Amino acid sequence: MAVTDFIAAIELGSTNITGIAGKKNADGSIQILAYANAPSSDCIKKGAIFNLDKTTQILVSVIQKLENDLQASIKKVYVGIGGQSIRSIRNNVTKQLGEDTKISQALIESLMENNREISLVDQEILGVEPQEYKVGNNLLTEPVGISADRIEGHYLNIIANHTLKARIAQCFKQTKYEIADYLLSPVVTANVVLTDSERRSGCALVDLGADTTTVSVYKNNILRHLAVIPLGSNNITKDICSLQIEEEDAEQLKLRYGCALTPPTEDEDQAHEQEYSIEGKCTVPAHKLEYIVEARVNEIISNVWNQIMVSDYGDKLMAGLVLTGGASNMPNIDEAFKQITKIEKIRIAKGCNIALDGAIQLPKNGTKNTLIGLLVEGKENCLKIDPRKGHQLDFINDLAEQEAEAKRKEAERRKAEEERRKAEEEAERIRKINEEKKRQEEERNRKRLEEYNIYVEEARLQLSKKKYKAALKEIENARRMHLAEKEEELNELEAKVNKEKKENSWFDIFTKKVTNLSDEILKDN
């Protein structure tokens, strides 16, 4: 049965582009109606699109899979924005007021507009998190209604490279689908992962992804700092590849044996001899793998801790750290964080705080929290409505149209194939005819040459018998063979026959005899 009310969302990850569709229930839970994903490592890197065409193709494929599961057409989707270029910057906006001016909501909105007008080079503001408003000597989160002669707004602007959002828009422009809204992935993830107590008391949410690690610092229910570190679990895989191991095998070694903090062993010699292997593919010394994994994990954690310190809230995180994302599944990842940050309170969030139901079961390993966050944040029905009828486009009719179009294309393909086959057959027929003509012509030439040789031999024979007339007749017969290359030979032979004929005629013989007789008479006298 087709679904008529749902929210659809897309997460553009560095490993997969993932789509989800669901429905919000009255009790606050989410019913998962459809789920689809496709690999994206060859078109998205560190959360940013670098191949527009491939990304577009994958987007269409994923959304069409959702449509097939829903048996309904999708008009628009909510899209999560994340990636390496996202970061937060602070900005203050001050406005002088008349004496004892009452602060209104319009004034607060005016300050926000002034904040958004800050000059940025190659960057754009994706979102703004108001921090506090300084009224007199007090920092307030809700200043409306208070009288003052001066107000200073403190803002946390979430910015990113201007191409990040533009490329997403370009990809969707090439599809038939619309973007319902752009949602900040780190923010929606925090909304479904962190508890009210954690956000209020202060914590750092660390999303350990494949290509990036995102750090979000919260205090008093406000986002205080956001940074995306361009390091992730894929860097560990690439480091393992330095041992002359294929990337696929390196990934398996990481997943099977990788440990963020290896416990010390009593027998160091035995530990040094231990090996890790992937059946029939590769084997590596255990101590080398452990060193590589821990070195990269320590680098990532050190960068995370540096961002927490930069936020100026490192000593105010009463709720500690919350880890999520695929790499949060690595054994002892919490212990590794404790060792470097000295923060004891660490929670690994493999699921979210939203109840999920439906036939589709999403894995609770920290990789789907952002996707659920996008779904929860969506507000509008993403169903495609027929403006002429005012109800859902008949999905069965859509399928019928698609099938008809497929049949039409198949018919065109078959017709083109048949025309190509006939053209090839005709070309083959003409080739055979030409070959036969050539063969027949060569056969005729061969026969003419044989007859020519017979006539010439006969002419030579007649010449030797001094039968000049018969020789000339044979030469004429040979000439009728029309062999241009033999024309010179025939001319020479004909000239020879005529010469001998003349020399041996009765008149020439008589003249020679008279001449000889005269010469003899003159000698006698």
Side-chain angles (χ1 to χ4, degrees):
M1 182 177 177
V3 183
T4 59
D5 184 12
F6 59 85
I7 295 169
I10 292 290
E11 181 185 5
L12 301 169
S14 302
T15 303
N16 290 290
I17 290 178
T18 312
I20 193 169
K23 183 177 181 180
K24 295 180 180 179
N25 298 322
D27 61 358
S29 63
I30 297 286
Q31 181 182 3
I32 307 299
L33 301 172
Y35 171 83
N37 68 347
S40 61
S41 57
D42 57 349
C43 59
I44 297 178
K45 187 175 182 180
K46 297 191 183 301
I49 297 171
F50 68 87
N51 189 314
L52 297 173
D53 290 341
K54 285 187 178 181
T55 303
T56 300
Q57 293 171 6
I58 297 172
L59 278 172
V60 172
S61 173
V62 168
I63 297 176
Q64 284 180 346
K65 288 177 183 177
L66 295 179
E67 289 180 322
N68 289 335
D69 290 345
L70 293 167
Q71 293 189 355
S73 296
I74 294 175
K75 178 184 180 181
K76 54 191 175 183
V77 296
Y78 288 89
V79 180
I81 300 184
Q84 177 181 350
S85 69
I86 290 182
R87 61 189 177 91
S88 64
I89 59 171
R90 296 169 183 170
N91 185 46
N92 297 336
V93 178
T94 303
K95 192 164 188 177
Q96 294 293 335
L97 308 173
E99 188 175 350
D100 289 335
T101 300
K102 185 178 179 181
I103 298 172
S104 64
Q105 185 60 39
L107 177 59
I108 298 301
E109 291 174 0
S110 174
L111 287 174
M112 175 69 81
E113 289 302 318
N114 290 340
N115 168 68
R116 285 185 172 274
E117 291 174 0
I118 63 172
S119 178
L120 297 171
V121 179
D122 295 332
Q123 303 283 316
E124 67 173 318
I125 296 177
L126 300 180
V128 179
E129 293 286 332
Q131 303 296 288
E132 298 97 0
Y133 297 91
K134 187 175 182 181
V135 180
N137 293 323
N138 300 317
L139 289 175
L140 308 171
T141 57
E142 298 290 342
V144 175
I146 297 175
S147 296
D149 56 6
R150 181 178 181 274
I151 183 172
E152 182 178 280
H154 298 176
Y155 300 96
L156 188 74
N157 294 323
I158 312 302
I159 66 171
N161 191 296
H162 70 279
T163 61
L164 183 66
K165 190 174 176 180
R167 287 179 180 175
I168 297 174
Q170 279 183 272
C171 290
F172 272 91
K173 191 174 181 180
Q174 297 178 56
T175 72
K176 65 177 183 178
Y177 306 104
E178 301 173 10
I179 296 176
D181 198 4
Y182 297 95
L183 302 174
L184 279 167
S185 294
V187 174
V188 300
T189 304
N191 290 344
V192 297
V193 169
L194 300 181
T195 65
D196 292 340
S197 175
E198 288 169 335
R199 293 163 66 96
R200 183 176 60 257
S201 301
C203 72
L205 174 63
V206 183
D207 190 346
L208 299 157
D211 272 359
T212 60
T213 298
T214 305
V215 183
S216 308
V217 178
Y218 282 84
K219 181 69 175 180
N220 296 330
N221 294 317
I222 298 173
L223 176 63
R224 303 295 183 173
H225 181 74
L226 176 63
V228 179
I229 301 165
L231 295 172
S233 61
N234 283 347
N235 293 95
I236 300 174
T237 303
K238 291 174 183 176
D239 291 344
I240 298 173
C241 290
S242 66
L243 298 175
Q244 307 300 315
I245 296 174
E246 294 292 333
E247 187 167 344
E248 183 180 346
D249 297 337
E251 179 70 13
Q252 289 301 313
L253 282 169
K254 179 188 73 177
L255 294 176
R256 189 177 300 184
Y257 303 110
C259 185
L261 184 63
T262 304
T265 57
E266 295 181 0
D267 191 344
E268 293 186 4
D269 292 335
Q270 183 179 354
H272 197 76
E273 294 175 359
Q274 186 180 0
E275 292 182 332
Y276 295 139
S277 64
I278 300 295
E279 294 80 0
K281 294 184 178 180
C282 61
T283 300
V284 298
H287 69 279
K288 285 189 177 181
L289 183 67
E290 291 165 0
Y291 174 79
I292 288 173
V293 173
E294 290 183 26
R296 182 63 77 174
V297 168
N298 288 344
E299 181 186 10
I300 293 172
I301 297 174
S302 296
N303 276 274
V304 169
W305 182 238
N306 179 63
Q307 287 299 324
I308 293 173
M309 297 305 294
V310 168
S311 74
D312 293 332
Y313 284 86
D315 58 346
K316 301 178 181 68
L317 305 181
M318 300 300 103
L321 305 179
V322 179
L323 311 181
T324 190
S328 66
N329 294 288
M330 181 173 285
N332 287 345
I333 188 70
D334 52 346
E335 296 299 324
F337 267 91
K338 288 178 183 178
Q339 186 179 75
I340 293 176
T341 67
K342 309 306 179 185
I343 294 177
E344 291 296 323
K345 197 169 186 179
I346 296 178
R347 178 172 72 92
I348 298 178
K350 295 188 177 181
C352 61
N353 52 28
I354 302 295
L356 306 177
D357 61 20
I360 298 174
Q361 298 294 317
L362 298 180
K364 290 187 177 181
N365 57 8
T367 62
K368 308 306 175 191
N369 291 335
T370 300
L371 199 60
I372 298 300
L374 295 171
L375 199 58
V376 170
E377 201 66 24
K379 300 293 188 295
E380 300 176 8
N381 186 4
C382 296
L383 175 72
K384 188 174 184 180
I385 303 294
D386 187 340
R388 298 163 299 175
K389 301 177 182 179
H391 57 73
Q392 177 194 355
L393 284 173
D394 192 335
F395 191 71
I396 296 177
N397 288 342
D398 284 352
L399 289 178
E401 290 177 4
Q402 292 175 10
E403 289 177 2
E405 179 67 12
K407 288 180 180 179
R408 183 185 65 78
K409 289 183 178 179
E410 179 63 18
E412 290 180 354
R413 187 192 65 78
R414 289 181 179 178
K415 182 180 178 181
E417 182 68 19
E418 181 66 17
E419 290 176 352
R420 184 188 62 79
R421 184 185 62 78
K422 287 182 178 180
E424 289 178 352
E425 289 179 353
E426 178 64 15
E428 181 65 14
R429 186 183 70 82
I430 292 173
R431 185 187 66 79
K432 289 182 178 179
I433 290 173
N434 291 335
E435 284 186 353
E436 181 62 21
K437 286 182 179 179
K438 183 179 179 181
R439 188 192 64 77
Q440 291 177 358
E441 182 65 23
E442 289 176 349
E443 181 65 18
R444 284 194 294 270
N445 288 339
R446 186 185 63 77
K447 289 182 178 179
R448 286 201 299 269
L449 183 60
E450 288 179 355
E451 292 183 24
Y452 168 86
N453 290 330
I454 291 172
Y455 288 138
V456 169
E457 289 300 319
E458 183 63 23
R460 295 184 190 283
L461 179 62
Q462 296 299 329
L463 177 62
S464 66
K465 294 179 179 180
K466 297 184 178 182
K467 295 182 179 181
Y468 304 115
K469 187 175 181 179
L472 290 173
K473 184 177 180 181
E474 294 300 326
I475 290 172
E476 185 62 26
N477 289 337
R479 204 181 294 279
R480 290 194 186 98
M481 296 300 100
H482 301 291
L483 298 175
E485 69 275 13
K486 299 294 184 179
E487 194 64 30
E488 185 176 352
E489 181 184 7
L490 289 176
N491 290 337
E492 291 177 355
L493 182 59
E494 185 178 34
K496 184 177 180 181
V497 171
N498 287 329
K499 181 180 178 182
E500 289 191 19
K501 178 181 177 183
K502 183 178 179 182
E503 290 175 351
N504 293 293
S505 67
W506 66 270
F507 181 77
D508 285 346
I509 293 173
F510 175 76
T511 301
K512 287 180 180 180
K513 286 183 178 181
V514 170
T515 301
N516 292 335
L517 181 60
S518 297
D519 291 340
E520 289 178 0
I521 292 172
L522 290 173
K523 287 179 181 180
D524 292 340
N525 294 328

